[in-house]
Amino acid sequence: MHFTARAHTNIALLKYWGKADTAIITPTTTSISLTLDEFYTDTTVWFDESLTADKFILDNEIITGHALQKVSRFLNIVRQQAGIASYASVISTNHVPTAAGLASSASAFAALAGAASKAAGLDLTLTELSRLARQGSGSATRSIFGGFAQWTPGNDLTSVGSPLLADADWPIQLMTVVINDQQKEVGSRAGMQHAMTTSPFYDLWVKTANEQVNQMITAIHEHDLMTIGQIAEANALQMHATNMTAVPPFNYLTDKSWEVILMAQELRQKGIPVYATMDAGPNVKLISNPADTEVIKEALLAIVSDNQVINAHPGPGIQINAGDSIC
Ligand code: ADP
Ligand code: DP6
Ligand code: CO
């Protein structure tokens, strides 16, 4: 049986940046995210007894090497859970730049978890899907759910994503400024491990992140855009500070990223609530109110061109269908 899943990316408002357990992927801190409507992955899977190895096609290209290995290792977990041995064909399309710091691994492994588990004959709950997705990429654990979601530290059973506020139906948007859509040099996995093991600021990152969790949850429940933005921007800069203080240091942000971050600070001085957050890449997402879109765009056009700005809003949780496409 072929199954197809669509999962949307999510942007972390409180970041996951470091693993307590690298084998099963559990985090050192609680992360909180917003799933986005504009960016997603569609993945179709079927298990086929005639195959002699797993096959992985991404955006019409046959993939070999490390990315295939990651998919195969993930399929091994699915095969073990389902008690099957056959190899699988995986066909995936990213409606998001791959490995550019726009969370392709989140939508990718959430969609793969959904399609592969169904194709293997498993019928998992959303929590079980979240646990499975986590083992492909930590951020994927949150992409099972729509709207605001959180992922807590814990053991294999307890460290799962859960919805915080699935219907984010009040005015909030993430204006995504695509500064570079090419593959980054340091992947999230290697970057967070290096920061965690060498930055003298890492313990402070964990302590500060712990303090931000309840403040963020309260702000989300109160639909308090300004507090959400303030905490998210502080948390993002703190995460990037662990990279800049790693030994040797590394950095995902470029001059253009900083121009956009400073632009947000300047607009705030004029009374417009707009806050920046950046994942493991140079691209900046601006947390803002849809009512301010035009004034923010105008300021952005002094820095980037119109086609580099994608306006994203809260998106839905995972969809899974029998067949080759999402209907
Ligand atoms: P990002 O910021 O895009 O999440 P990461 O470094 O976390 O970057 O992850 C990128 C990796 O995720 C890719 O190198 C590849 O191994 C994997 N990936 C991306 N898209 C897919 C997909 N659709 N299916 C399977 N794996 C994918
Ligand atoms: C900065 O989930 O991509 O986007 O678990 O090693 O696959 P792995 O890493 P990944 O890391 C995401 C890091 C981040 C913050 C976040 O999404 O929480
Ligand atoms: Co990722």
Side-chain angles (χ1 to χ4, degrees), residues 35-51:
T35 297
L36 300 178
D37 59 348
E38 282 293 321
F39 303 109
Y40 58 93
T41 297
D42 285 343
T43 298
T44 301
V45 178
W46 67 97
F47 289 88
D48 180 345
E49 281 176 10
S50 68
L51 289 175

Side-chain angles (χ1 to χ4, degrees), residues 279-327:
D279 280 342
N283 306 308
V284 182
K285 298 94 185 175
L286 296 171
I287 302 162
S288 53
N289 187 322
D292 295 322
T293 305
E294 283 317 310
V295 60
I296 298 168
K297 262 213 167 144
E298 202 176 306
L300 275 174
L301 286 182
I303 308 172
V304 295
S305 59
D306 192 41
N307 62 7
Q308 287 173 275
V309 184
I310 301 168
N311 206 356
H313 298 92
I318 189 164
Q319 280 171 269
I320 312 172
N321 283 163
D324 289 324
S325 60
I326 288 291
C327 32

Side-chain angles (χ1 to χ4, degrees), residues 1-7 41-47 74-75 78 88-92 107-122 124 129 132 144 318-323 326:
M1 274 292 269
H2 291 42
F3 277 88
T4 301
R6 173 171 296 175
T41 297
D42 285 343
T43 298
T44 301
V45 178
W46 67 97
F47 289 88
F74 185 80
L75 290 170
V78 176
S89 284
V90 175
I91 299 186
S92 188
S107 53
F109 281 94
L112 185 59
S117 59
K118 276 286 196 184
L122 294 167
L124 302 183
L129 270 181
L132 177 60
I144 299 299
I318 189 164
Q319 280 171 269
I320 312 172
N321 283 163
I326 288 291

Side-chain angles (χ1 to χ4, degrees), residues 10-19 22 25-26 31-33 70 101-106 109 133-142 151 184 187-193 205 235 239-240 243 252 278-281 285:
N10 68 79
I11 172 79
L13 302 170
L14 293 187
K15 313 289 185 195
Y16 142 57
W17 199 242
K19 292 176 177 67
T22 53
I25 308 192
T26 56
S31 53
I32 293 180
S33 60
K70 267 167 77 170
L102 289 166
S104 69
S105 69
F109 281 94
R134 186 199 77 215
Q135 295 171 75
S137 180
S139 53
T141 204
R142 302 180 308 240
W151 174 31
K184 58 203 175 194
S188 305
R189 189 157 296 184
M192 70 174 76
Q193 190 64 17
W205 152 259
N235 178 271
M239 178 200 115
H240 287 274
N243 304 337
Y252 290 111
M278 299 72 60
D279 280 342
K285 298 94 185 175

